[in-house]
Amino acid sequence: MDKQESRLMSILEVILRLQSDPPVPLSFSEIYDQLQKDDPATKLTKAWVHRVLKTLTETKLVRLDNPTSHRKKYIADVNTIMAGFEELKSKKIEELEAIQKKVETELVEISALDCGYLSREFVKDVTGRTEEVSSRIVRGVEELHRILRFNMLEKAREGDIIRATLLWLGPFVDETSLVRVKRFFDAAEQGAEVRYMVSTDVFNAEKDSSVRQGLQGLMGMMQMFLDLRARGKKFDGRLYSGPKTYNQVSFNNESMALIIAENPVTATWMTREFNPDLIDNAVKTFDNDWKKAKSVLDLTPEDFKAFGAGPEGVIRKILSTDEG
């Protein structure tokens, strides 16, 4: 508490001590005289005390008995203190909300920064050389998909293969899920072959109410998928019921995002220069699992039952074309 606040509290305390119950309005003289008695060594001017009383009434900690009267009288009790606290609380909330808005804006701007791009540009400016980042840790769903977008999905063309495995649903399903899935559709539109493999464990995950809510955003995905296929685009989604495998997205044998933790989502993005053996092994494992997986276009009611999908399950509805 600073000196100004301390003086405010001293005068408020004096008014409260002088006040009776029920409260009787106090004149300026009564308050000023008591202040002098409490601390004779401190020389307080009447003008200064008037200013403090004005501040206390503005903050509603003290109220005027008759605001229009020439000779003002003051009241402070539990009701005025409560009103004052509410006023101070409201002002503090406004201050914090303004700070929060500023912080959130800065957070969005900082989160959007591509550190890989910045590091390449920095090195280029200093040395004149163009160097590529060979590996980095990626945290969060948005950052992961930003890496996938710029390093794989938007550069994919005819002859490229994108392999994606989804083992967990929780962190990846929300109101923006369809936007992220559409990036893979767009890669197929550009001529790439996209193989998207999903573990059948996702049917257990949808028992979580928050996951079910997030999955609602994927309604309509199947129609996009069917439209791609009808136009000869190379996109397939398959369900995989085998043992745990690499949770990854790879671009040919050139680069890979290996997801290593679910909460929070954490991945290692790497190029072939960093670890060719790991990328080759992940791609080989994926291709073997892909052969055993079943396309969502070939699913039957019996398959859904075997995978543990209830008849009213959200994922079943998303993947259903016409079960008949």
Side-chain angles (χ1 to χ4, degrees):
M1 184 182 296
D2 61 25
K3 189 174 182 180
Q4 175 71 6
E5 290 175 335
S6 177
R7 291 286 175 82
L8 283 169
M9 289 303 299
S10 295
I11 294 178
L12 180 60
E13 288 171 7
V14 164
I15 298 172
L16 285 170
R17 287 201 307 271
L18 288 173
Q19 205 78 78
S20 58
D21 187 16
V24 175
L26 300 171
S27 67
F28 174 83
S29 297
E30 290 174 301
I31 296 169
Y32 184 77
D33 290 346
Q34 187 62 46
L35 285 168
Q36 295 290 78
K37 290 177 185 177
D38 287 351
D39 192 359
T42 302
K43 302 300 181 183
L44 300 176
T45 67
K46 290 185 177 181
W48 184 85
V49 176
H50 272 299
R51 286 198 299 271
V52 173
L53 286 170
K54 184 173 184 291
T55 300
L56 288 170
T57 56
E58 287 173 348
T59 58
K60 300 182 181 179
L61 289 164
V62 173
R63 69 178 175 85
L64 293 172
D65 178 50
N66 184 357
T68 60
S69 173
H70 177 66
R71 292 186 176 277
K72 294 180 171 53
K73 291 195 173 185
Y74 303 88
I75 294 175
D77 60 9
V78 68
N79 296 301
T80 67
I81 299 301
M82 183 186 71
F85 284 173
E86 290 289 352
E87 181 74 7
L88 293 170
K89 173 185 170 182
S90 296
K91 288 182 177 178
K92 193 63 179 178
I93 288 174
E94 287 179 9
E95 291 175 12
L96 292 174
E97 285 177 341
I99 294 171
Q100 181 184 30
K101 186 176 181 180
K102 181 182 178 184
V103 170
E104 287 175 348
T105 300
E106 292 178 356
L107 184 60
V108 169
E109 293 172 350
I110 292 173
S111 297
L113 292 175
D114 185 337
C115 294
Y117 171 79
L118 291 175
S119 63
R120 288 195 301 270
E121 290 301 303
F122 181 79
V123 171
K124 185 177 180 180
D125 285 345
V126 173
T127 68
R129 297 191 305 270
T130 299
E131 298 182 9
E132 293 297 327
V133 177
S134 61
S135 71
R136 62 183 290 189
I137 296 295
V138 181
R139 292 183 175 86
V141 173
E142 290 305 316
E143 180 66 12
L144 171 61
H145 277 268
R146 190 177 297 114
I147 292 296
L148 297 180
R149 177 184 172 188
F150 291 115
N151 292 283
M152 299 183 187
L153 302 177
E154 290 191 351
K155 65 185 284 188
R157 294 293 185 272
E158 183 78 32
D160 293 323
I161 301 176
I162 294 172
R163 298 169 173 86
T165 308
L166 180 65
L167 300 185
W168 309 314
L169 271 185
F172 296 101
V173 289
D174 55 29
E175 64 278 2
T176 62
S177 298
L178 189 57
V179 174
R180 294 194 293 268
V181 171
K182 192 175 180 299
R183 301 280 186 201
F184 288 87
F185 290 164
D186 291 343
E189 289 279 11
Q190 293 159 191
E193 179 181 350
V194 179
R195 302 173 183 175
Y196 206 108
M197 186 167 66
V198 180
S199 168
T200 54
D201 288 345
V202 297
F203 290 107
N204 290 323
E206 75 167 328
K207 294 174 183 177
D208 186 300
S209 60
S210 63
V211 171
R212 287 198 304 275
Q213 182 65 33
L215 284 168
Q216 296 295 329
L218 290 174
M219 291 297 182
M221 179 189 73
M222 198 63 182
Q223 189 55 50
M224 295 181 187
F225 175 35
L226 293 173
D227 179 61
L228 276 175
R229 299 280 294 206
R231 291 184 288 109
K233 302 300 180 181
K234 298 177 181 178
F235 188 105
D236 196 9
R238 296 189 183 184
L239 288 173
Y240 167 74
S241 58
K244 294 293 184 184
T245 185
Y246 291 99
N247 204 9
Q248 58 84 40
V249 181
S250 57
F251 180 71
N252 301 320
N253 286 68
E254 299 172 19
S255 62
M256 174 175 70
L258 180 64
I259 302 167
I260 54 180
E262 178 181 6
N263 189 19
V265 170
T266 307
T268 299
W269 179 81
M270 66 189 75
T271 65
R272 187 164 191 82
E273 287 72 21
F274 180 74
N275 197 329
D277 292 339
L278 181 56
I279 292 178
D280 286 343
N281 193 46
V283 168
K284 182 179 179 181
T285 300
F286 179 96
D287 287 345
N288 288 335
D289 293 335
W290 183 255
K291 293 173 185 175
K292 305 170 193 173
K294 188 159 189 175
S295 174
V296 295
L297 295 174
D298 300 327
L299 293 175
T300 65
E302 289 72 25
D303 290 324
F304 282 116
K305 185 176 181 180
F307 295 151
E312 298 302 317
V314 180
I315 297 175
R316 183 168 181 166
K317 291 178 181 178
I318 292 170
L319 297 179
S320 177
T321 52
D322 183 6
E323 288 181 31

